[in-house]
Every structure is written in structure tokens, then in C-alpha cells.
Amino acid sequence: MKPAMETAAEENAEQSQEKKGCFECCIKCLGGVPYASLVATILCFSGVALFCGCGHVALTGTVSILEQHFSTTASDHALLSEVIQLMQYVIYGIASFFFLYGIILLAEGFYTTSAVKELHGEFKTTACGRCISGMFVFLTYVLGVAWLGVFGFSAVPVFMFYNIWSTCEVIKSLQTNVTVPGDQICVDIRQYGIIPWNAVPGKACGPILENICNTNEFYMSYHLFIVACAGAGATVIALLIYMMATTYNYAVLKFKSREDCCTKF
């Protein structure tokens, strides 16, 4: 029979060993979390959601403003309406694709991080795994360049709405100035190329333009385009983080594969 003190000491030692093993397991699991990919995924989801959601509503409001104030003939803006409708369908596709792609990139981040830190064995550094990682590096670079174009394109309506808004502010500031009547200050949408030059009326001047700026559709569309542009910028930043994370992981995997190859001989 063992003394009670020795038995208690052994039980305490076993409990401390279990706690230590559990702590080491938690640290090991936390070490396999791809924090860069996790941050990039959250940022990518947020940016794409803002761009797609706000962009879709803003495009609808833009068509309504054009139809009511700048192009009263349906045939003049028929092509523009079709293009905007197509862009809205493209937005649906972008949202669906990046929802899936973000999940895949996060899984790939777990995959490569586990391989780099050797958490789950040697099978993670196979040629197939390195090929998959390299494919995601290339695809992320291509999507990053594409989203730079999307970010630049999303700034165009912001610039157009800002010009209209700033012109309305000029009209308001000249209401007390008799020498410069506000009726002479106009905004011609036809110069932006979104409606043809024969569109009627094509432009708005003075109080009419000021009333357009005071409508809820203009206010909402203007600010939604700003948020959509910010969402596109956030997505670009997320893809840049993805680029750095996937490139680093792929480089380490490539180095480890050469190291393992050399140690076999």
C-alpha cells in the first residue's frame, strides 16, 4: 500500500501533465492559424459586400435620375439601361465568386501554414500541394490586378456625382449675387459619354439642377457610390495581403521541399 501523500503527489503530477499537454496542444493549434489570411478574408468579404450591395442600389438610382431629368426619351438611354442591367448581373456573379474564393483561400492558408510549421506530417509538402499553392498565388495576382481596374472604374461615378454636387453648391452660393445668375450654370451629362449627344434635354441648369441635387435619389446614389468605391479599395488591400501570405508560404514550401530532397541523399 502506497502512502496517501505519495498517491496524492502522483495524482497531482498526472493532472499537471494533462494540463501541460492540453496547453501545448492549444498553442500548436493556434500556431497553425493563418492570421494574415484570416484578416484578408474578413476584409475581402466586407469589401466585396460593400461594393456589390451599394453598387447595385446606386446603379438603379442612377438610371432613375437619368430617365427623369436628363434623358426623357427611352430610346436615347436604352443601351445604357441594358449595360447597367448587365453590370448588376455581373455584380451578382462577383459576390458569389468571391464568397467561395475567400473560403478557399482561407482553407489554403490553413493548408500551407500547417505545412510550413510541420503540424500534420510530411504529406503536406508534396509536389501536388506545392502546385496548388502556386496556382493560388498566380490567380490571386491576376485578381489583384483586375480589382485595381475595378477600383479605378468605381471612382468614375463618384467623380461625376461630385461634379454635379459641387455645381449645385456654386449655384447656392451665387443666389445672393445679382451679377452672375445661377441659370447660366449647367451640368451636361452628355459630356461623360453615358448618353448620346442627341439626348433631350441632356443637361440641367440653375434651379432645376439644384432641385436634382436635393432629391433623395441623388443623395443616396452619390453616397452609395462612395461606399462602393471604398469597398473596392478594401478588396484590393485584402488581395494584396493574400498575395504576400500565399507568396511567402509557397516560397517556404519550395525551400522545404528542396531541403527534404537533399537530406534523403
Side-chain angles (χ1 to χ4, degrees):
M1 295 291 294
K2 292 184 179 180
M5 295 183 61
E6 292 183 3
T7 304
E10 290 179 357
E11 291 178 354
N12 290 333
E14 291 178 356
Q15 291 178 358
S16 62
Q17 188 68 25
E18 290 178 358
K19 291 181 179 179
K20 183 178 179 180
C22 182
F23 178 76
E24 291 178 352
C25 181
C26 292
I27 293 298
K28 187 176 182 180
C29 292
L30 290 175
V33 175
Y35 294 102
S37 296
L38 183 61
V39 172
T41 301
I42 296 173
L43 190 60
C44 182
F45 282 172
S46 302
V48 171
L50 289 176
F51 174 78
C52 294
C54 296
H56 183 275
V57 179
L59 287 173
T60 304
T62 302
V63 173
S64 179
I65 293 172
L66 290 174
E67 291 177 349
Q68 294 177 11
H69 305 287
F70 293 100
S71 181
T72 56
T73 305
S75 59
D76 292 338
H77 58 266
L79 179 61
L80 176 64
S81 299
E82 293 179 0
V83 171
I84 289 180
Q85 186 177 8
L86 178 62
M87 291 174 61
Q88 290 176 333
Y89 284 118
V90 171
I91 284 175
Y92 294 144
I94 290 174
S96 302
F97 172 78
F98 272 91
F99 177 76
L100 179 62
Y101 189 69
I103 295 176
I104 294 175
L105 277 183
L106 183 61
E108 194 271 342
F110 277 101
Y111 176 90
T112 52
T113 302
S114 298
V116 168
K117 298 192 176 183
E118 296 180 347
L119 297 177
H120 300 290
E122 295 294 332
F123 71 96
K124 290 286 185 178
T125 59
T126 60
C128 181
R130 295 192 299 273
C131 180
I132 294 175
S133 297
M135 180 191 68
F136 279 112
V137 170
F138 174 76
L139 185 57
T140 305
Y141 270 89
V142 173
L143 291 174
V145 173
W147 266 97
L148 283 174
V150 172
F151 176 69
F153 179 77
S154 64
V156 174
V158 175
F159 172 75
M160 183 184 71
F161 274 82
Y162 174 77
N163 283 343
I164 299 174
W165 173 82
S166 61
T167 305
C168 291
E169 293 298 314
V170 172
I171 294 174
K172 291 179 182 178
S173 65
L174 294 177
Q175 287 178 350
T176 58
N177 192 343
V178 182
T179 59
V180 183
D183 293 341
Q184 296 181 2
I185 301 177
C186 304
V187 169
D188 195 340
I189 296 297
R190 295 171 295 187
Q191 66 180 334
Y192 297 106
I194 58 178
I195 56 176
W197 281 104
N198 58 355
V200 179
K203 64 179 182 179
C205 304
I208 298 176
L209 179 60
E210 188 178 354
N211 291 333
I212 294 173
C213 293
N214 291 331
T215 59
N216 291 329
E217 290 177 345
F218 179 86
Y219 179 83
M220 288 296 297
S221 298
Y222 179 33
H223 289 84
L224 286 174
F225 274 126
I226 294 175
V227 176
C229 185
T235 306
V236 171
I237 296 174
L239 289 173
L240 288 175
I241 298 175
Y242 275 135
M243 289 180 196
M244 292 185 289
T246 54
T247 303
Y248 170 79
N249 287 334
Y250 176 75
V252 174
L253 288 179
K254 194 73 174 176
F255 176 78
K256 286 177 64 65
S257 65
R258 292 180 179 177
E259 187 180 52
D260 294 339
C261 179
C262 295
T263 54
K264 291 180 181 180
F265 298 97

